[in-house]
């Protein structure tokens, strides 16, 4: 049967190099498979590694392709979520 939920972590290197086409295709491919199989897709954007513009861009791309959730971090990086990050992502 498989997993009912998938957490994917964005390719931070591609975000930092502003390779938005790659980032969009990457997120869309995982979201697409999840939708086909009836699984929830959560996109983790690692907010502590991104600037505000990157956080907004990745959040918008995730919503554009139908991700079910956008999460702030895995908890394994340099920091966790801030109220400011959540506000940026929600706008």
């Amino acid at each position: 049967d498989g997993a009912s939920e998938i957490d994917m972590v964005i390719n931070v290197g591609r975000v930092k190099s502003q390779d938005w086409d790659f980032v969009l295709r990457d997120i869309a491919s995982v979201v697409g498979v999840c939708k086909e199989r009836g699984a929830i897709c959560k996109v983790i954007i690692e907010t502590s590694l991104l600037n505000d513009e990157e956080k907004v861009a990745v959040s918008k791309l995730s919503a554009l392709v139908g991700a079910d959730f956008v999460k702030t971090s895995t908890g394994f990086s340099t920091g966790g979520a801030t109220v400011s990050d959540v506000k940026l992502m929600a706008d």
Side-chain angles (χ1 to χ4, degrees):
D1 293 332
S4 60
E5 296 184 10
I6 299 294
D7 285 17
M8 74 164 290
V9 181
I10 60 156
N11 186 316
V12 174
R14 294 292 184 119
V15 171
K16 296 308 263 178
S17 66
Q18 298 187 350
D19 189 351
W20 300 118
D21 289 334
F22 178 92
V23 174
L24 179 65
R25 286 191 317 271
D26 190 37
I27 297 169
S29 67
V30 176
V31 169
V33 171
C34 288
K35 298 290 183 194
E36 288 172 8
R37 309 259 170 109
I40 292 170
C41 184
K42 301 178 225 172
V43 178
I44 303 172
I45 68 171
E46 295 295 8
T47 54
S48 64
L49 302 176
L50 306 178
N51 65 38
D52 288 351
E53 293 79 21
E54 292 162 341
K55 294 170 195 175
V56 169
V58 175
S59 296
K60 287 182 178 182
L61 291 176
S62 299
L64 178 69
V65 298
D68 297 295
F69 297 95
V70 179
K71 296 173 68 174
T72 57
S73 65
T74 59
F76 294 107
S77 189
T78 59
T82 66
V83 172
S84 175
D85 289 338
V86 175
K87 286 181 181 177
L88 282 171
M89 293 165 62
D91 287 344

